[in-house]
Amino acid sequence: MMKAQVAAPVTVNCFLLLAAVVVKPQKVLLARNLLNFIVTKFFFMTEVRPMLPEHWEDVKKIYEEGIVTGNATFQTSAPSWEEWNNSHLPSCRLIAVDVNKVIGWAALTPVSGRCVYAGVAEVSVYVAEEARGKGIGKNYCGR
């Protein structure tokens, strides 16, 4: 079992989870399994798939919905695919799919390029606006 150190998860309106997770670089598969577990528990949907470049427009739309709330991130606009792709770990990107529609995504972002922080990443989980308010976040938050 992977030992992860989680630094005080912050949930905002129960639709965003950010946490620092310590993962050894050689344990990428375990990190993917952890993300898969988080997304499955969070979304209660039928399928979690790896995120591919062709999913970017859906992922970007969901990210922009989070930006509009003012609660999800300090960013004011979504990055380009190239910028987002270069800043997130390629092996740890997942989408949540409900009836062939992307309703959420999760990804890991390295917190630093310094070798001392190798394996430390931030977890981002976003839920589409249309999927909110259906008890998904409420159940996830344990209320």
Side-chain angles (χ1 to χ4, degrees), residues 5-26:
Q5 226 176 16
V6 179
V10 177
T11 55
V12 181
N13 293 336
C14 297
F15 68 87
L16 171 67
L17 168 70
L18 294 174
V21 179
V22 177
V23 181
K24 298 257 186 225
Q26 65 271 26

Side-chain angles (χ1 to χ4, degrees), residues 82-104:
E82 291 76 22
E83 185 180 348
W84 192 93
N85 184 46
N86 291 333
S87 66
H88 290 78
L89 296 174
S91 59
C92 297
R93 303 170 183 182
L94 301 171
I95 57 169
V97 179
D98 185 31
V99 191
N100 290 323
K101 181 170 175 79
V102 176
I103 61 167

Side-chain angles (χ1 to χ4, degrees), residues 15 60-79 126 132:
F15 68 87
K60 181 180 175 186
K61 179 181 178 283
I62 294 168
Y63 186 63
E64 288 170 337
E65 291 172 357
I67 291 171
V68 169
T69 68
N71 296 323
T73 180
F74 291 115
Q75 299 298 324
T76 57
S77 63
Y126 283 77
R132 296 181 211 148

Side-chain angles (χ1 to χ4, degrees), residues 36-47:
N36 194 348
F37 173 77
I38 289 170
V39 172
T40 302
K41 289 292 182 186
F42 191 73
F43 294 110
F44 296 103
M45 74 294 129
T46 57
E47 193 171 4

